[in-house]
Amino acid sequence: MTVTDTAPLGGAGPAEPTIVQLSGELDLVTCPALHEELLHVLRSSSRMLVLDLSGVTFCDACGLSLLIDLQQCARQRGIILALTQPRPCVSRLLHISGLDRTFPFVV
């Protein structure tokens, strides 16, 4: 799993979303380290954190759990966690799990 923060260390302006591009697999192996890295990004985020899922090739239940937990942490900080550009396999999983109705999506 690769994480690219497009505005590292709080570089996004207060009105600009922080965008993080994820690539690789969201699974049991990658989620623990990814969770810590995304929490670090969240601490320095603006009002909105956008996860670009266009590079995510696989997602399992651990990946879904990570997204749910990150959304809860974001809400506690008054930050909106949004998703963008999930690949069809991830989009289908979000739909089946009902998470497509709990996350805002940006284009």
Side-chain angles (χ1 to χ4, degrees):
M1 175 58 60
T2 303
V3 176
T4 304
D5 185 354
T6 61
L9 300 175
E16 297 294 320
T18 301
I19 301 171
V20 175
Q21 297 171 330
L22 302 178
S23 62
E25 298 181 351
L26 286 173
D27 60 17
L28 180 64
V29 174
T30 62
C31 281
L34 179 61
H35 186 264
E36 290 304 313
E37 194 165 350
L38 289 174
L39 284 178
H40 177 72
V41 171
L42 187 62
R43 287 185 201 106
S44 60
S45 291
S46 61
R47 296 180 332 200
M48 178 180 277
L49 174 60
V50 178
L51 298 182
D52 180 344
L53 302 177
S54 61
V56 174
T57 57
F58 175 79
C59 182
D60 66 8
C62 289
L64 294 179
S65 179
L66 178 138
L67 293 176
I68 292 166
D69 184 64
L70 193 62
Q71 184 181 47
Q72 291 172 348
C73 292
R75 283 184 180 153
Q76 291 172 353
R77 291 178 164 79
I79 298 172
I80 297 168
L81 177 65
L83 306 177
T84 190
Q85 300 183 22
R87 288 184 177 193
C89 61
V90 176
S91 182
R92 183 169 185 259
L93 185 59
L94 291 169
H95 178 71
I96 290 170
S97 65
L99 291 177
D100 62 339
R101 294 183 299 275
T102 64
F103 283 95
F105 283 82
V106 294
V107 179

